[in-house]
Amino acid sequence: MTRHLDMLYKTVILEHSKHPKNKMELSDFDVERTVYNPMCGDTIKVQIKVKNQKISTVAFNGEGCAISQASASVMTDLLQHMEIKEAKERIHTFKQMLRGDSQIDLSQLEDGMALQGVVQFPARIRCAQIAWQAVEEAIDTLESSNALDEMKENEVE
Ligand code: ZN
């Protein structure tokens, strides 16, 4: 990573942690999941509302280090209004990035690319991961409860 890019990435992370996007408590949501990172003390709660196989709203709340806050902000910003199928692909790509996989197209992660640098700091990978794990679990919960299919059927009626 060049020095210029490194600086740029730090700026992106700092900006998201100082002014997190979609950090709020939703009153209307389908599922919420909270993931705790005991190594650092981060707690991230993610809430999602799904409509027509799309994430109509995703928000987060919680406390933690700059990386956990920035990662949650980036995640909600990226997945907002995205189709479930596409959102799952992005989550998968983000996880691959944190595993250090260099064969992936990081540009599809937009600001999420900025978190690539945490791979060099194994103790901080979990900080970047928890918001994405929370949203993945929330989607899994919806899918396993067949709530998404029911929503789809309701659409047709
Ligand atoms: Zn942390």
Side-chain angles (χ1 to χ4, degrees):
M1 199 183 289
T2 67
R3 185 148 187 87
H4 173 72
L5 259 184
D6 198 29
M7 284 295 293
L8 183 72
Y9 283 176
K10 276 181 187 149
T11 308
V12 171
I13 291 171
L14 216 62
E15 193 53 35
H16 273 280
S17 66
K18 277 186 180 165
H19 308 286
K21 297 190 178 173
N22 310 300
K23 186 174 183 181
M24 65 186 109
E25 192 74 28
L26 297 181
S27 53
D28 181 22
F29 59 91
D30 294 314
V31 185
E32 68 174 27
R33 272 288 172 278
T34 302
V35 178
Y36 175 57
N37 172 21
M39 283 167 74
C40 182
D42 314 310
T43 304
I44 299 286
K45 177 169 80 177
V46 172
Q47 298 175 312
I48 59 170
K49 172 98 185 145
V50 172
K51 202 180 171 192
N52 300 342
Q53 302 287 309
K54 265 187 177 179
I55 295 175
S56 60
T57 320
V58 52
F60 83 99
N61 223 327
E63 297 307 323
C65 67
I67 292 174
S68 68
Q69 294 288 304
S71 188
S73 171
V74 160
M75 179 279 288
T76 56
D77 200 28
L78 183 68
L79 303 190
Q80 199 77 257
H81 309 310
M82 197 175 263
E83 285 189 23
I84 292 290
K85 186 173 168 280
E86 210 182 333
K88 286 168 76 175
E89 285 170 11
R90 294 299 193 283
I91 294 165
H92 182 69
T93 302
F94 188 83
K95 285 163 74 181
Q96 278 179 298
M97 179 183 80
L98 290 187
R99 279 198 294 266
D101 188 341
S102 56
Q103 304 298 308
I104 48 173
D105 173 18
L106 293 180
S107 65
Q108 58 169 299
L109 295 174
E110 297 176 18
D111 279 1
M113 283 171 74
L115 289 150
Q116 188 186 18
V118 303
V119 173
Q120 300 160 47
F121 307 96
R124 309 309 298 278
I125 291 175
R126 188 84 186 118
C127 302
Q129 223 172 29
I130 56 172
W132 299 73
Q133 184 189 329
V135 74
E136 186 177 41
E137 287 180 8
I139 292 172
D140 283 350
T141 303
L142 275 177
E143 288 190 325
S144 63
S145 68
N146 290 322
L148 284 176
D149 290 336
E150 281 163 30
M151 285 171 204
K152 200 177 182 179
E153 280 161 25
N154 289 340
E155 258 168 67
V156 181
E157 282 167 15

